[in-house]
Amino acid sequence: MAKITLSNLRHSYLPRPQGAEDYALKEIDLDWEDGGAYALLGPSGCGKSTLLNIISGLLQPSEGRILFDDRDVTDLPPDQRNIAQVFQFPVIYDTMTVRENLAFPLRNRGVAEGRIAERVAEIAEMLEVEEMLDIRASHLSPDNKQKISMGRGLVRDDVNVVMFDEPLTVIDPHLKWKLRSKLKELHQRVRATMIYVTHDQTEALTFADQVVVMQDGEIVQIGTPVELFERPQHTFVGHFIGSPGMNVLAAEDSGGKVTFHGHTVALEGAVTGAGGTTQIGIRPEFVTLSDAGIEARVSKVADVGRHSVVEAVVGDTSVKAIIEGDVPGQGETVHLAFRPDQTRLYRDGWIATEQQTGARS
Ligand code: ADP
Ligand code: MG
């Protein structure tokens, strides 16, 4: 296990990159602490796989260094980096049995047969594949192939880091949920550094202690699931995390007095900076219907089980509220209130309100 440091990392797939848009990774400086459970979360194409492949050595970065426990490994090939990587689609040997597949990474390293048998049994139990051990891998369903592929990633206990690149894509939803909690449990048991790449917020938030959110080749926020939910540093994080995501509403800022469609809005703290495009960020969880609020007309009501999502229109702006209990009907007039300590200002996308000391996050 090791601390992994990415220093001034940039990568372009083009031979002669010009502007920032030519870079798949723009400028990454990041420490992955030894033993951490990390998720790398972002939409498709934002650079997640590129980053993983640079850590594992499958890809040489255009610029910057990679350190394992302060040792520079940038020029080392993958097999000398001591990393386990699980890919989106199964990588297993069809002609071998499940048992042989699981044993392979250990045998390759000259581990004693007794120890191999022990580890294979442990992993097989964890993944619930004991009864398949003597089946040839070519006979397995895609689900089970991927489970074995994950098992191969987990079987060694001497790796610097285990990296999963969207490993549950081919797994059916029910099993997905189970494997996700298994991985979390496993991390707590072995305390290996794990990096779990996904575009699915639920997967990221259930697995990780720390979530690294990426957009367009850049890291926009690193934080615990609660921090990302409560105080998004960027409107992108607000949108991307939450169901539905944060309301991001065009606002007017005149010298720190912020208004939304003519109504003064109380914010969590003093406004910082000046100029730029100003927006209010408020999560639907913290929008309530009250007697004395901003007048709006209900445009849509969706019952989503435990609560309802009410959409109401103020001028030309739609605001979502999560409401428990009785909900108004479509077309009704309501009044919206924003909980001040959960109402933030954003300037050109980035948070621009001071956090109150003693606040929870
Ligand atoms: P993610 O894993 O987040 O979906 P990727 O790291 O695969 O994103 O891709 C990041 C960007 O780099 C995308 O714009 C993608 O098209 C581009 N890219 C990825 N792999 C290659 C490649 N081998 N050659 C050229 N461009 C690539
Ligand atoms: Mg990818």
Side-chain angles (χ1 to χ4, degrees):
M1 266 52 96
K3 178 179 97 171
I4 296 170
T5 305
L6 308 177
S7 167
N8 292 312
L9 212 63
R10 275 151 70 82
H11 187 72
S12 176
Y13 287 101
L14 303 176
R16 271 177 298 281
Q18 309 287 317
E21 68 281 4
D22 288 347
Y23 283 84
L25 294 180
K26 300 218 167 80
E27 170 85 52
I28 309 274
D29 280 283
L30 180 59
D31 280 334
W32 310 83
E33 294 300 331
D34 190 4
Y38 290 95
L40 187 54
L41 173 68
S44 177
C46 74
K48 303 179 299 293
S49 295
T50 303
L51 190 57
L52 274 205
N53 292 339
I54 285 175
I55 295 174
S56 66
L58 293 174
L59 200 62
Q60 274 293 110
S62 315
E63 293 169 39
R65 313 305 298 171
I66 303 116
L67 313 173
F68 289 179
D69 281 337
D70 300 323
R71 188 169 82 100
D72 194 324
V73 300
T74 318
D75 300 319
L76 290 185
D79 61 343
Q80 286 174 39
R81 294 195 188 189
N82 217 9
I83 277 178
Q85 190 168 4
V86 178
F87 299 92
Q88 201 165 356
F89 298 101
V91 179
I92 55 172
Y93 296 103
D94 267 346
T95 55
M96 292 185 188
T97 63
V98 167
R99 188 191 306 280
E100 288 162 345
N101 265 289
L102 291 176
F104 190 82
L106 300 175
R107 239 170 231 144
N108 222 4
R109 297 241 144 196
V111 175
E113 284 301 317
R115 179 68 189 140
I116 293 178
E118 238 171 69
R119 280 300 286 170
V120 168
E122 267 172 52
I123 295 294
E125 189 208 331
M126 192 202 94
L127 295 171
E128 295 173 26
V129 297
E130 294 115 309
E131 75 288 358
M132 297 171 208
L133 280 173
D134 294 309
I135 294 176
R136 206 183 282 280
S138 56
H139 298 308
L140 297 176
S141 67
D143 263 16
N144 283 328
K145 281 189 181 174
Q146 183 65 349
K147 267 186 163 183
I148 304 310
S149 203
M150 290 174 77
R152 283 165 51 94
L154 294 166
V155 75
R156 285 176 57 198
D157 56 8
D158 63 339
V159 291
N160 284 316
V161 55
V162 189
M163 305 195 295
F164 302 91
D165 194 350
E166 314 224 23
L168 303 182
T169 310
V170 293
I171 305 269
D172 82 56
H174 165 73
L175 193 61
K176 234 182 218 182
W177 184 84
K178 235 166 96 174
L179 282 179
R180 212 162 59 203
S181 26
K182 284 255 179 220
L183 276 179
K184 174 105 199 151
E185 186 189 308
L186 187 92
H187 177 262
Q188 278 156 354
R189 220 163 57 204
V190 303
R191 287 280 149 197
T193 311
M194 291 190 185
I195 303 176
Y196 187 101
V197 168
T198 179
H199 62 270
D200 177 336
Q201 56 160 320
T202 314
E203 281 185 20
L205 301 179
T206 44
F207 172 73
D209 302 326
Q210 289 283 318
V211 181
V212 177
V213 185
M214 278 184 77
Q215 180 202 22
D216 275 348
E218 285 181 291
I219 292 170
V220 282
Q221 188 169 0
I222 303 172
T224 63
V226 171
E227 285 165 351
L228 298 181
F229 180 80
E230 290 203 338
R231 213 158 173 279
Q233 295 300 296
H234 194 278
T235 50
F236 173 77
V237 178
H239 264 307
F240 199 66
I241 289 176
S243 181
M246 192 170 73
N247 292 295
V248 178
L249 313 168
E252 304 285 325
D253 167 25
S254 57
K257 183 175 174 287
V258 173
T259 55
F260 168 64
H261 285 278
H263 301 267
T264 302
V265 176
L267 302 166
E268 61 166 338
V271 168
T272 59
T277 303
T278 50
Q279 291 164 310
I280 290 166
I282 173 86
R283 290 210 175 268
E285 284 82 352
F286 304 118
V287 177
T288 51
L289 306 181
S290 74
D291 295 333
I294 302 163
E295 193 173 298
R297 194 179 40 79
V298 174
S299 58
K300 196 172 159 191
V301 179
D303 182 347
V304 293
R306 267 170 311 163
H307 52 244
S308 300
V309 178
V310 173
E311 273 184 64
V313 179
V314 185
D316 55 355
T317 311
S318 175
V319 182
K320 291 190 173 110
I322 289 183
I323 305 296
E324 321 249 345
D326 291 344
V327 288
Q330 198 177 327
E332 276 183 41
T333 297
V334 291
H335 292 84
L336 306 173
F338 302 160
R339 205 175 107 181
D341 67 329
Q342 295 292 340
T343 308
R344 336 235 175 257
L345 188 73
Y346 292 86
R347 216 181 275 295
D348 292 332
W350 294 97
I351 196 157
T353 36
E354 278 173 12
Q355 187 172 14
Q356 289 305 292
T357 50
R360 214 153 43 91
S361 62

